[in-house]
Amino acid sequence: MHGPLKFDPAAWMAEAQRLQQKLAAGLESLQKVGDHSVGCTPKEAVYGDGKLTLFRYRGERAPTARVPILIVYALVNRPYMVDLQSDRSVVRNLLAQGEDVYIIDWGYPDRSDRFLTLDDYVNGFIDRCVDEVRRRHGLDAINLLGICQGGAFSLCYAALNPHKVRNLVAMVTPVDFHTPDNMLSNWVRAMDVDLFVDTLGNVPGDLMNGCYLMLKPFRLNLQKYLGLADILDDPAELENFLRMEQWIFDSPDQAGEAFRQFVRDFYQGNRLVRGGLEIGGRAVHLAAVTMPVLNVYAEQDHLVPPSASKPLGGLVGTEDYTEIGFRGGHIGIYVSGRAQREVPPAIHRWLAER
Amino acid sequence: MSDPTTDWRKQFEALARPFQDAMAAGGAGPFAAWARMAQPDSGGLEAMLERFTRQAQDFLGLMRGVAESAGSSSDAAGVAAAWREALSTATGGNPMLAALSAIGGPGARTPEQLVAGTEAWLAPFASQLQAWLSLPAFGPAREQQLRLQQLARDQLALDQARKRYQALLIEAGEQAFVRFERKLAERSEPGRQLESARALYDLWIDAAEEAWSELALSPRFGEAYSVLADAQMRVRKGVQEQLERACGELGMPTRSELDSAHRRIHAMSRELRELRRRLEGAAPAPEPAPRPAAKQARPARRAAAKGPARAKDARPRDDRAVKRAGPVPAPRAPAARRKPTGR
């Protein structure tokens, strides 16, 4: 008869001692850890609106694409995830392909921003950024690349302003919020979001982090930190780890009214799919999204499962709809080595064909 | 004939002694050194170091506990039982609750932690909560009494919601052990056995995540979680209102007053933008006649608007430094550019 363990006490203790040794050596590694600042590509601020800043990235060579891309990131977490470090940068790789890339940095809302609504974000901030980029390039319409919640915003914007969006790229974008594998949706579906926002005002970023960590509490709170021991002797990996930790815990608070509307209309009402969504008094119909659409989803996404993204194809009005399933997770789609090789070139190719 | 499990344990204890000494080395051991690094003045690394130190300590303590209870010859049930015993010591018997509690700290909070601060405010009154509920409200303090009674009810409802939620976590914890034993049994065949303590730990993580996922996706958890979050918010809101009243009486500005001002500012900003948009929409077409000085900024925008539909090159027309929010070009008619491509 065999048991599940195939190691003797000596091996067991050797393993424990190795961990101890790593801990001792790790102290030195951490003290010597080099620069782990985030955001590697030069960029310049070209427009500001309240706490929002619109940046234009500068590549090593002039862009060859005639129509620029505007990246609309989510309100949660910070947009430097798309440009985390030189070898993990979707932006850098898009620039290398000849694209001209702008990005909206929403800044950090404070209590004075509590009454910002989805109307302010979609019909206000995004629209003014789109207009600024259009004005700078003398174009009728530009390319929009929405990420996660920013993808949902981009869909709404494109539906309301199809004449200003030449091509739409949605990355890890939730569309159907009522799929059975959507944990976040299951948790907030019956929650009294009015009570929640009326009590908290803005929703603290720390609270958002807490929810995300609850999605995989054992992996993200326990196993991950034990795994740190494996990389303590590798300065480059240690810096990567620290950058990722910075991004994970660098979470802006969420403007209360926009949060209320997003939870009520998207998570609870599923109105992108069921219909009835209004932003600023204007009805949002995905059938009005008539420009070419590229939907890039992550096959192992625990935040936005593929089942939440893929229904987009059946809802948009365009006949030019393309889907790309990336083998990775919600974060890996920006930072993994495979993502760098596959995602930006795929976006560039798709845009170049249009 | 010797018992292999006992032999294994004895051998382990002999080998483990130096390690245990290091664990108990107070200010000299590696854990103590890490703990010193994790002091509040160590800056941004503090939280990460604290988590890491805790995980490493827990891991080693857990492995030691398992090693003491189970030998290499133990079957899946034996290892699972040893694991459960060691984990119960480390987590107080509820690994799910322990894992969720580990979320707390700088940078991440759960609604439970948000309400903890307000509950502390209620603590001095805790003994009176139940008594308040049965008292009729009358006299000048009637309204205040009603508010406090409501707060007491909300606190009791929160206790109930918390118990219900924790019962689900206990259930999921049990499921994690069941799954763990099943996984251990699957790994008992030659060629599939676990060859390190870390592999054993990772297998537990897999089992626990699966059990958690099954619970967290279930409708009953969604409902219990919502009830808990609502109850937490009611208590927090009630305490906030009490504090606001007290601050108002002392002449301090309150959150409601600030909210009111912010709401008004947002409404005015929206109105201003709408007026600006209408003014731009109503602007006359370019004419050769001189234009009023107040509209001197307009020709540049018109020039942009009547420019070529596609840029000749990719350079932006205007590379001025940051432009703060200002007038934007009026919307133009959509250009026909939809291309039939087929999927």
Side-chain angles (χ1 to χ4, degrees), chain A residues 44-335:
Chain A
E44 61 174 332
V46 296
Y47 172 81
D49 190 348
K51 294 184 175 69
L52 173 156
T53 306
L54 175 65
F55 288 102
R56 184 186 190 212
Y57 285 102
R58 291 280 183 200
E60 288 172 2
R61 61 190 178 93
T64 53
R66 299 196 324 168
V67 182
I69 299 171
L70 172 61
I71 297 178
V72 181
Y73 199 77
L75 301 178
V76 296
N77 288 111
R78 302 282 295 137
Y80 55 74
M81 172 50 82
V82 295
D83 185 41
L84 197 62
Q85 60 193 68
S86 58
D87 57 345
R88 298 178 179 209
S89 169
V90 169
V91 165
R92 195 182 179 94
N93 283 310
L94 282 171
L95 292 171
Q97 303 277 335
E99 297 293 344
D100 195 351
V101 184
Y102 290 79
I103 193 166
I104 296 174
D105 182 338
W106 302 107
Y108 294 85
D110 60 29
R111 281 298 291 246
S112 69
D113 300 306
R114 182 212 158 147
F115 295 101
L116 286 175
T117 61
L118 288 190
D119 181 29
D120 292 317
Y121 278 104
V122 175
N123 296 323
F125 292 131
I126 295 177
D127 190 46
R128 291 193 287 278
C129 286
V130 168
D131 283 344
E132 176 62 17
V133 177
R134 290 195 312 138
R135 185 191 67 77
R136 290 170 62 84
H137 291 262
L139 294 171
D140 293 336
I142 61 168
N143 297 327
L144 215 53
L145 192 162
I147 294 176
C148 191
Q149 182 191 35
F153 286 2
S154 298
L155 284 170
C156 296
Y157 181 79
L160 293 169
N161 304 277
H163 56 292
K164 292 186 186 180
V165 182
R166 185 178 168 90
N167 298 292
L168 175 63
V169 181
M171 280 181 78
V172 288
T173 294
V175 176
D176 185 345
F177 287 75
H178 282 188
T179 55
D181 51 354
N182 191 329
M183 212 176 266
L184 283 176
S185 172
N186 188 43
W187 297 350
V188 301
R189 198 89 62 85
M191 189 180 82
D192 184 345
V193 70
D194 290 329
L195 173 65
F196 195 77
V197 172
D198 291 346
T199 303
L200 297 178
N202 285 346
V203 178
D206 289 358
L207 190 62
M208 303 295 291
N209 280 341
C211 281
Y212 297 139
L213 295 178
M214 272 180 70
L215 293 171
K216 289 181 182 285
F218 290 87
R219 281 198 211 296
L220 301 179
N221 298 300
L222 309 178
Q223 191 182 37
K224 183 176 81 172
Y225 293 99
L226 187 60
L228 177 59
D230 298 333
I231 58 167
L232 277 172
D233 54 356
D234 184 336
E237 279 300 307
L238 197 52
E239 285 165 23
N240 292 345
F241 182 91
L242 292 171
R243 277 190 204 96
M244 190 59 76
E245 284 290 283
Q246 177 175 339
W247 178 79
I248 288 169
F249 293 107
D250 184 4
S251 299
D253 294 346
Q254 301 298 295
E257 294 308 310
F259 181 89
R260 185 200 309 265
Q261 196 177 349
F262 194 70
V263 169
R264 190 189 60 212
D265 291 350
F266 290 74
Y267 274 99
Q268 296 181 338
N270 203 20
R271 292 184 179 174
L272 265 184
V273 173
R274 291 182 177 169
L277 178 63
E278 280 192 8
I279 294 181
R282 299 169 66 192
V284 177
H285 299 293
L286 288 182
V289 176
T290 49
M291 72 292 302
V293 173
L294 172 64
N295 186 8
V296 187
Y297 62 89
E299 289 171 359
Q300 282 80 42
D301 196 330
H302 69 292
L303 274 165
V304 181
S307 61
S309 289
K310 292 169 78 172
L312 181 61
L315 296 166
V316 287
T318 183
E319 290 174 13
D320 183 1
Y321 173 83
T322 310
E323 251 178 35
I324 297 178
F326 169 76
R327 278 192 296 137
H330 193 76
I331 309 300
I333 201 167
Y334 317 115
V335 297

Side-chain angles (χ1 to χ4, degrees), chain B residues 265-335:
Chain B
I265 290 168
H266 279 284
M268 285 193 291
S269 300
R270 287 182 199 111
E271 275 179 33
L272 182 63
R273 275 198 296 269
E274 177 60 17
L275 286 171
R276 196 180 271 167
R277 193 188 64 78
R278 285 188 194 179
L279 277 174
E280 283 166 2
E287 292 172 13
R291 302 193 54 76
K295 295 189 177 178
Q296 277 177 351
R298 216 164 268 294
R301 288 197 302 277
R302 279 202 307 277
K306 69 180 180 182
R310 297 285 179 269
K312 296 295 181 196
D313 64 39
R315 289 172 192 279
R317 294 178 160 228
D318 184 353
D319 268 328
R320 285 176 300 181
V322 185
K323 174 184 169 225
R324 303 311 295 179
V328 292
R332 303 182 62 189

Side-chain angles (χ1 to χ4, degrees), chain B residues 157-169:
Chain B
L158 172 58
D159 291 342
Q160 288 301 312
R162 192 180 281 143
K163 280 178 192 158
R164 187 172 162 216
Y165 175 77
Q166 289 181 355
L168 289 177
L169 296 185

